[in-house]
Amino acid sequence: MFENPSRDNDYVVASELLSVEYLAIIWLVSEKHLPKPMAIKLVEKIILEVIEAFLSLPNGEFNGIYHEHFLISTYCSLSIDRIIDIVTHRLELWYEFGPTILSPYQCPYLVSQAIAEKYMSTKNVQKLGRLLRGANFCQIGALLGKDPLAIAKQLHPLISNGAILLRAPLSPFDMLPQTYYLMNTEDLDRIDKERNSDQRQLAPLRNVRNFPNEFPNESLKATSKLLNISGETRTLVHVSQSQLRLEHLEEPKGQVSIGSHLYIQRLPIEQDCRDTILRDGSLIRIKASGQMGKSSLLSRILAFAKSNEYQVVHLNFQQADRDIFENLDLFLQWLCASVASELDLEENLGEYWHGVLGSKNKCTKYFQRYLLTSNELPLVLGLDEVDLIFQYPKIATDFFGLLRSWHEKGKNEDIWKKLRLVIVHSKEVYIPLKIHESPFNVGLPIELPEFTYSQLEDLVVRHQLNWFPKQVERLHILTGGHPYLVRQALYQIASGRTDWENLEKLAATEEGIYNDHLRHQLENLKQEPEMMEAFKSLIASDSPLQLDSRVAFKLRNIGLVKFKGNLVIPMCELYYRYFRQSLRIE
């Protein structure tokens, strides 16, 4: 079978006609990396798959001369008639699953644990959820050592009942023909006649044909059997994480890492930030409530600047010791030293921090004569968690006035045009700042919105979940499109920890996945009695309310409400349900 074709053969096959896979198998055999018996099985398997895909075409025909030339006279001594017979019958069996199953390359996902538990044990449902995480029927069959037809028949009842949802074939399998299509009457009559005659004895199909036609309502015995994988093969956890090669699911805590496929752009925001950061002396201020994606956006602005060969410094004020915020001189020294450290420069504070000039003048001189002149490249300074400074009025007014003065210098002085500022904060600015001394009324303002329905739908797909539009809509209503709430839900479902029905049922309870987040929001309210009373009035009402603007903005700062004109409404159904229960509002 693996001897090279000779000129004495009836037909000569040019290497250009051979597939790369077939040539690779020949090489593996010749180099003794692959035993011949195993290679023969591999070739037969490939031939079966190729012909099966070809004959799936509604008008697919297999040219007798070509298959004789390629499969009989040269490399393979396989019986082409037997192969065609097997493949044809397999396609007829696949066709019987239509229109529920359209292709062996569709990807089954467990979307309703509750429905599945009506037919099988909770333990097996959990195993099934971990198994059905992105692979198609053929891939699952390869992993488990089972015929894809058998797996399709085992899962068919759960697909019909809505417990399992089928996603369209992924690339490149989406280019292959379906196994279900509208046959003409002549073909249907032929299939029925051949099936009734029952004259075929095809060994490769025995395992498929022995499965029961009907499944007992009490349990899906065949599916349970599918999940009882012996230790000689692979564990289910290993299959779901390694063999299926799913994209890594990031736990929704902190910022979304650079390059993550789970980051959703909220255009035109990202593009506006990229355009602005390239301008001389620019300033960007990003504002949103907690866990809305501010730090993720900041990291991408800095990464873009770095890709343009700018100097980049990212300072998070949470990294500073608390006592630093008690003294302006100490705070500005910390600021200068931190920037120098990020730029791999010596501090040299003693050289610039002397004389009778005030702390702000010393800091300005340090930037102008040292940090901005040490390199010809522009410097982008990203300031994260700026809200922390609002708590220290002794330094806040002077520090923010200093930032504003640097921005104004960038309009006229070449050295200061090199400095670009990005300020990130959550709260409204309530400290007394004069209009011309505030950095919060200049530059590019960015207020991050919640995810839209289409953005949420995109994120569902990126988590490899095949949801109905109604499920996406329900998640959008439950979370209000809040990025953290959305990602937490999708992470828990995609990782097999729960399903949508249970998540929605328990979401607003202490047993649900949001319990820590909800308790944190409750504590925020308890610290501000005025906010607590206003929010209680809001969720007790069946319609939007007009609250005191200062209180309304505070509630918006912590993400509990959103504006509807001059009125406010609860941010999402989750908060409405939880706080009505927690605050015992009838």
Side-chain angles (χ1 to χ4, degrees), residues 187-197:
D187 287 336
L188 290 174
D189 291 340
R190 176 183 57 79
I191 290 173
D192 289 336
K193 182 178 180 180
E194 291 176 349
R195 184 185 298 114
N196 293 333
S197 66

Side-chain angles (χ1 to χ4, degrees), residues 50-67:
V50 171
I51 296 178
E52 184 171 310
F54 183 79
L55 292 184
S56 297
L57 295 169
N59 298 317
E61 295 181 356
F62 200 75
N63 186 284
I65 297 177
Y66 180 82
H67 79 66

Side-chain angles (χ1 to χ4, degrees), residues 62 64 129 131 149 189 221 232 293 314 355 361 375 387-388 455-458 480 491 520 533 548 552 557 561 568 580:
F62 200 75
L131 177 63
L149 270 168
D189 291 340
K221 294 181 180 179
E232 298 177 357
H314 183 185
N361 283 323
N375 195 306
D387 303 74
L388 191 58
Q455 289 168 337
L456 196 155
E457 190 175 38
D458 182 13
Y491 172 78
H520 176 72
E533 290 304 315
D548 176 81
N557 287 340
V561 303
V568 294
R580 283 185 69 91

Side-chain angles (χ1 to χ4, degrees), residues 353-378:
W353 221 272
H354 56 78
V356 296
L357 294 176
S359 300
K360 292 194 294 182
N361 283 323
K362 293 174 183 177
C363 183
T364 299
K365 182 172 65 173
Y366 185 85
F367 266 78
Q368 181 171 324
R369 298 183 182 178
Y370 183 50
L371 296 179
L372 293 176
T373 58
S374 63
N375 195 306
E376 295 181 356
L377 299 175

Side-chain angles (χ1 to χ4, degrees), residues 284-380:
I284 301 173
R285 42 192 175 90
I286 304 171
K287 176 181 173 294
S289 59
Q291 299 178 307
M292 284 288 293
K294 301 183 299 297
S295 296
S296 297
L297 177 59
L298 172 61
S299 66
R300 280 157 178 79
I301 296 172
L302 298 182
F304 174 75
K306 194 170 185 178
S307 70
N308 282 272
E309 299 184 348
Y310 287 9
Q311 300 177 93
V312 168
V313 173
H314 183 185
L315 289 186
N316 189 319
F317 288 112
Q318 288 185 339
Q319 297 173 345
D321 296 336
R322 186 174 296 274
D323 57 354
I324 287 176
F325 297 98
E326 299 292 344
N327 180 277
L328 179 64
D329 191 72
L330 185 61
F331 171 75
L332 293 180
Q333 287 190 53
W334 171 86
L335 174 71
C336 291
S338 298
V339 175
S341 176
E342 289 293 312
L343 295 175
D344 292 325
L345 299 174
E346 296 292 334
E347 288 183 6
N348 287 342
L349 285 173
E351 184 176 344
Y352 299 92
W353 221 272
H354 56 78
V356 296
L357 294 176
S359 300
K360 292 194 294 182
N361 283 323
K362 293 174 183 177
C363 183
T364 299
K365 182 172 65 173
Y366 185 85
F367 266 78
Q368 181 171 324
R369 298 183 182 178
Y370 183 50
L371 296 179
L372 293 176
T373 58
S374 63
N375 195 306
E376 295 181 356
L377 299 175
L379 170 61
V380 179

Side-chain angles (χ1 to χ4, degrees), residues 66 76 209 277 281 343 472 478 523:
Y66 180 82
C76 295
R209 300 183 70 178
I277 207 65
L343 295 175
V472 180
L478 179 69
E523 288 301 316

Side-chain angles (χ1 to χ4, degrees), residues 284-517:
I284 301 173
R285 42 192 175 90
I286 304 171
K287 176 181 173 294
S289 59
Q291 299 178 307
M292 284 288 293
K294 301 183 299 297
S295 296
S296 297
L297 177 59
L298 172 61
S299 66
R300 280 157 178 79
I301 296 172
L302 298 182
F304 174 75
K306 194 170 185 178
S307 70
N308 282 272
E309 299 184 348
Y310 287 9
Q311 300 177 93
V312 168
V313 173
H314 183 185
L315 289 186
N316 189 319
F317 288 112
Q318 288 185 339
Q319 297 173 345
D321 296 336
R322 186 174 296 274
D323 57 354
I324 287 176
F325 297 98
E326 299 292 344
N327 180 277
L328 179 64
D329 191 72
L330 185 61
F331 171 75
L332 293 180
Q333 287 190 53
W334 171 86
L335 174 71
C336 291
S338 298
V339 175
S341 176
E342 289 293 312
L343 295 175
D344 292 325
L345 299 174
E346 296 292 334
E347 288 183 6
N348 287 342
L349 285 173
E351 184 176 344
Y352 299 92
W353 221 272
H354 56 78
V356 296
L357 294 176
S359 300
K360 292 194 294 182
N361 283 323
K362 293 174 183 177
C363 183
T364 299
K365 182 172 65 173
Y366 185 85
F367 266 78
Q368 181 171 324
R369 298 183 182 178
Y370 183 50
L371 296 179
L372 293 176
T373 58
S374 63
N375 195 306
E376 295 181 356
L377 299 175
L379 170 61
V380 179
L381 179 57
L383 304 176
D384 206 354
E385 300 291 346
V386 170
D387 303 74
L388 191 58
I389 299 178
F390 296 160
Q391 303 173 26
Y392 300 92
K394 291 182 180 180
I395 70 168
T397 302
D398 286 325
F399 174 62
F400 291 130
L402 183 63
L403 295 181
R404 173 63 182 266
S405 70
W406 291 351
H407 176 64
E408 295 299 325
K409 285 176 176 290
K411 296 178 180 178
N412 301 305
E413 302 178 32
D414 289 341
I415 190 67
W416 285 100
K417 289 180 180 180
K418 295 169 61 177
L419 180 66
R420 292 94 196 270
L421 298 172
V422 185
I423 302 173
V424 178
H425 64 108
S426 299
K427 300 177 180 178
E428 297 294 328
V429 182
Y430 294 111
I431 57 176
L433 289 174
K434 295 180 180 179
I435 294 178
H436 63 279
E437 294 181 351
S438 172
F440 299 104
N441 55 12
V442 291
L444 174 68
I446 297 293
E447 185 160 356
L448 291 179
E450 293 77 22
F451 287 151
T452 63
Y453 174 89
S454 61
Q455 289 168 337
L456 196 155
E457 190 175 38
D458 182 13
L459 196 55
V460 168
V461 173
R462 297 189 192 196
H463 280 79
Q464 300 186 14
L465 298 173
N466 200 358
W467 279 14
F468 292 108
K470 287 185 178 180
Q471 289 175 290
V472 180
E473 183 179 358
R474 282 297 306 147
L475 180 60
H476 194 248
I477 293 173
L478 179 69
T479 63
H482 189 289
Y484 168 75
L485 300 180
V486 169
R487 284 200 58 208
Q488 184 66 253
L490 297 180
Y491 172 78
Q492 295 292 332
I493 295 173
S495 60
R497 290 171 169 82
T498 186
D499 61 15
W500 169 244
E501 286 82 2
N502 284 325
L503 187 150
E504 185 179 28
K505 178 181 177 181
L506 301 175
T509 71
E510 296 295 338
E511 189 181 351
I513 65 171
Y514 299 119
N515 55 354
D516 290 337
H517 175 82

